[in-house]
Amino acid sequence: MITEDIKYIGVNDHEIDLFEGQYDVPNGMAYNSYIIFDEKIAVFDTVDKKFGDKWLCNVKETLDGKNPDYLIVSHMEPDHSANIDKFLLAFPKAEVVATGQAFSMMERFFGENYEGRRIIANNGDSLSLGKHNLTFYTAPMVHWPEVMVTYDSFDKVLFSADAFGKFGALDIEEDWACEARRYYFGIVGKYGKQVQMLFEKLDGLDIKTICPLHGPVLSENLGYYLGLYDTWSKYLPEEKGVVICYTSVYGNTKKAVELLAAELREKGCPKVTINDLARCDMAEAIEDAFRYDKIVLATTTYNSEIFPFMHEFITGLVERGFKKRKVGFIENGSWAPQAAKYMRKMFEKTIGLEYCNTVVTILSAVNCETEEKISELAKELI
Ligand code: FEO
């Protein structure tokens, strides 16, 4: 129970291997769904297709013989929308409330736009359930263009769609920020500007509880969660520290990375994190890159470019609007090192990055000269 009138009816998914076909979710995933009981009854969102029957059971059990009046569709991504048809068949008098774009997507997904059973919600429109008055705010690109969030002024609850969500099922205890940050930068990170635009729309609302489509309901210390979202969506570093992301073929680049990390720690760098891009979770490395204020990229020259995992990583940063950080480079190349030049070129359209003057070049293996350059780079980063 979230409030006297609002109940949770979502499901946990521990069968999933990759969320959205790419994100590792060792602790599963939650697809959240809610019901508001009032003179009229509104259900918020469905769940992933695999859990349609279980979810419909939750809905019926919670309704306890009552009939829902509305299905409110916040987001059309199938992890939330897959069971719209199932719901409307089970409750033939219920109407669907969603943005116009969401109805167009329903037609594309299900061949049906529910004409005659649909209420199109525009930004700022309201729907009264009785004492609960719902106001809809469009939230384009947080995370798809059709998204809307809903504010219930009676219980002061924000139904926030994908915003404030995280990886992980709800029957597992884990730190919120770590998996929420990985989720944010993986899924919504490119759309910081749109998150800020949504914040402007919501400015002035008295929010006591946030009900997202993934992750736990947030009802305490909301300033903490709102503050982190504000930092993330403004692309500001959250902490001082250096993240070193590298690839290494025979261990020589790795050795340089380890020397740099040791030197940074010795010089009192508050936090040094290392990611081997060939072996770590790429989404975790992206998360780290956005978390700290400095990053060092170390890789080999490969096929006249750079090692593939580094290519993938930098592409991931650039497409998410990586900025407001200091960047250092370490390159390795036995006969024609050009990885640093190539990495820098990958950021050429990125504004708001500061580059270290020192570039460490390894010619096959670390030697005294390289060690001196590593020290210089460490000094610059401190
Ligand atoms: Fe949880 Fe964008 O879907």
Side-chain angles (χ1 to χ4, degrees):
M1 186 168 89
I2 291 152
T3 69
E4 193 69 24
D5 300 331
I6 304 179
K7 320 282 176 211
Y8 181 83
I9 49 164
V11 297
N12 287 317
D13 181 357
H14 286 290
E15 297 163 24
I16 189 168
D17 60 344
L18 293 175
F19 180 65
E20 290 189 358
Q22 59 171 320
Y23 297 102
D24 209 14
V25 280
N27 287 336
M29 205 63 205
Y31 312 114
N32 296 342
S33 172
Y34 308 91
I35 302 188
I36 302 183
F37 286 92
D38 202 337
E39 288 163 31
K40 301 273 189 185
I41 297 174
V43 173
F44 281 79
D45 298 290
T46 84
V47 298
D48 189 87
K49 191 172 184 174
K50 286 190 306 247
F51 297 89
D53 290 338
K54 184 176 183 339
W55 171 73
L56 205 57
C57 252
N58 289 355
V59 175
K60 287 180 177 164
E61 209 174 286
T62 310
L63 285 169
D64 196 20
K66 298 188 180 76
N67 274 306
D69 297 279
Y70 305 111
L71 173 66
I72 295 173
V73 175
S74 310
H75 182 15
M76 277 302 296
E77 195 162 7
D79 51 334
H80 311 293
S81 69
N83 297 291
I84 292 175
D85 228 32
K86 196 182 260 280
F87 178 90
L88 292 175
L89 277 174
F91 303 106
K93 289 189 179 151
E95 292 178 290
V96 189
V97 184
T99 60
Q101 262 184 308
F103 283 110
S104 304
M105 287 187 181
M106 284 177 218
E107 189 149 25
R108 282 174 229 141
F109 272 117
F110 314 123
E112 174 68 85
N113 68 12
Y114 306 111
E115 206 169 346
R117 295 182 73 178
R118 69 180 180 190
I119 299 173
I120 295 178
N122 293 305
N123 185 57
D125 284 357
S126 289
L127 176 72
S128 175
L129 304 179
K131 59 190 187 192
H132 293 262
N133 193 53
L134 307 181
T135 306
F136 307 109
Y137 297 93
T138 52
M141 302 321 294
V142 186
H143 141 234
W144 277 15
E146 84 301 351
V147 172
M148 67 175 191
V149 304
T150 303
Y151 179 67
D152 168 18
S153 57
F154 182 77
D155 275 334
K156 304 189 188 325
V157 173
L158 178 72
F159 295 90
S160 63
D162 272 347
F164 299 97
K166 70 180 270 296
F167 296 125
L170 298 186
D171 50 2
I172 301 269
E173 287 259 337
E174 64 179 355
D175 177 58
W176 185 86
C178 188
E179 284 298 71
R181 190 188 299 105
R182 190 167 70 95
Y183 172 90
Y184 176 85
F185 285 110
I187 288 167
V188 193
K190 180 179 170 64
Y191 303 109
K193 193 171 153 204
Q194 287 81 353
V195 173
Q196 283 293 317
M197 282 161 65
L198 175 61
F199 278 1
E200 278 169 30
K201 288 183 189 171
L202 303 179
D203 191 32
L205 294 181
D206 181 11
I207 299 168
K208 295 265 188 286
T209 304
I210 297 176
C211 290
L213 287 177
H214 302 288
V217 170
L218 307 172
S219 54
E220 279 169 25
N221 199 14
L222 286 193
Y224 168 73
Y225 305 105
L226 290 162
L228 280 179
Y229 250 68
D230 192 44
T231 301
W232 297 343
S233 55
K234 285 177 176 160
Y235 300 93
L236 295 169
E238 200 181 317
E239 286 176 53
K240 285 196 179 307
V242 180
V243 56
I244 310 173
C245 295
Y246 78 96
T247 65
S248 188
V249 186
Y250 293 106
N252 293 302
T253 311
K254 182 178 181 182
K255 187 175 174 191
V257 161
E258 284 168 349
L259 286 172
L260 176 66
E263 189 134 355
L264 287 168
R265 288 188 185 113
E266 200 181 296
K267 286 182 171 17
C269 181
K271 183 88 187 179
V272 181
T273 302
I274 302 176
N275 288 308
D276 174 353
L277 296 175
R279 292 175 178 83
C280 73
D281 171 16
M282 196 61 85
E284 194 86 42
I286 297 259
E287 176 201 341
D288 281 344
F290 281 95
R291 182 172 182 173
Y292 300 107
D293 64 340
K294 291 173 191 124
I295 186 166
V296 174
L297 302 168
T299 196
T300 40
T301 307
Y302 188 83
N303 285 341
S304 306
E305 294 187 358
I306 51 174
F307 210 60
F309 299 103
M310 180 60 81
H311 198 282
E312 183 189 341
F313 178 63
I314 297 177
T315 302
L317 294 182
V318 170
E319 71 187 18
R320 286 168 176 79
F322 190 65
K323 56 176 84 107
K324 301 179 185 173
R325 307 292 191 282
K326 189 163 188 175
V327 185
F329 297 115
I330 299 176
E331 64 179 354
N332 194 347
S334 289
W335 60 93
Q338 52 182 309
K341 198 169 119 200
Y342 191 89
M343 287 191 278
R344 174 91 185 241
K345 193 168 166 11
M346 286 188 77
F347 288 112
E348 70 184 347
K349 293 204 175 116
T350 301
I351 46 164
L353 289 178
E354 186 192 340
Y355 298 97
C356 295
N357 294 320
T358 310
V359 171
V360 178
T361 298
I362 308 160
L363 290 167
S364 301
V366 173
N367 58 22
C368 297
E369 216 175 299
T370 337
E371 283 179 19
E372 270 172 39
K373 281 285 189 187
I374 288 170
S375 285
E376 272 177 43
L377 181 59
K379 269 184 219 140
E380 263 198 71
L381 290 163
I382 294 286

